[in-house]
Amino acid sequence: MIRFPALFALCLAAAGLVAGLPPAASAAGDRSGDHRDRTAGSGLSASLTAEVADQLQRDLDFCAGVDAEFGFDCTKYALRRAGNALDGNTAYRTARMALAKGDTRLRLAVKDNVDDSRLPRLHGFQIYRPVQPQAVAPLQDLTAATLDDIRTAIATAPEQVGDHFAPLAAALATGG
């Protein structure tokens, strides 16, 4: 036996088909349902900036708590994740390029100073490689300089409208 609400819904659907209306599932528009589509808006977005700044801050805070020998690889991945989150949106090109440059700089430094006598460490789903103990102090200086260079590049970006990139610069200033 068909209940009244089910019969009512069936009648509404049939009336919609007869009238040529789109189904209720596509009433939201032509979006695919992927709310994380970075290329949909090719402009500055306060929500995207805040999301990336928050993630970068969390990642850098996490890296500060990791053993010193593994922290440089962790910071490299934090910069890479932030850059990947901005990828595809042309308004963030300067910020993405600065983050990518910092990622490359730290990646090469870790690669040159990796300690092959120790095993990498797994944190979450990420594997961090250790650096040699004598390389920790120079790499700390390099990491601080790299974060400062990225912060300067982001803060002085020509396409910055108002203080739009300020949360990214603040995340870099307090992180690491």
Side-chain angles (χ1 to χ4, degrees):
M1 180 173 171
I2 298 178
R3 294 187 174 168
F4 179 73
L7 182 62
F8 182 72
L10 183 62
C11 290
L12 273 176
L17 287 175
V18 171
L21 297 175
S26 67
D30 294 334
R31 295 192 61 212
S32 66
D34 183 10
H35 67 283
R36 297 183 59 89
D37 184 13
R38 303 283 190 228
T39 59
S42 293
L44 296 173
S45 165
S47 63
L48 175 59
T49 303
E51 179 183 333
V52 172
D54 290 345
Q55 183 63 47
L56 182 59
Q57 180 66 51
R58 280 192 303 272
D59 287 346
L60 291 175
D61 286 346
F62 174 78
C63 292
V66 173
D67 292 342
E69 294 86 12
F70 298 92
F72 308 108
D73 213 22
C74 181
T75 302
K76 171 195 69 152
Y77 282 115
L79 297 177
R80 181 176 297 170
R81 278 189 292 272
N84 287 345
L86 298 174
D87 196 20
N89 191 327
T90 57
Y92 290 93
R93 185 176 189 279
T94 301
R96 185 179 51 79
M97 294 303 291
L99 289 164
K101 209 178 277 188
D103 167 38
T104 302
R105 191 173 176 187
L106 289 179
R107 180 178 50 82
L108 292 174
V110 168
K111 182 179 178 183
D112 290 343
N113 294 294
V114 71
D115 189 357
D116 291 327
S117 66
R118 294 178 59 196
L119 293 173
R121 187 173 292 171
L122 180 67
H123 288 284
F125 291 111
Q126 192 65 54
I127 296 176
Y128 301 121
R129 297 174 299 168
V131 296
Q132 299 167 356
Q134 66 270 20
V136 170
L139 283 176
Q140 284 175 336
D141 295 338
L142 177 71
T143 301
T146 300
L147 292 176
D148 190 46
D149 291 347
I150 297 169
R151 184 174 49 251
T152 302
I154 288 174
T156 60
E159 67 270 6
Q160 182 176 356
V161 179
D163 291 331
H164 195 80
F165 286 171
L168 292 173
L172 288 162
T174 58

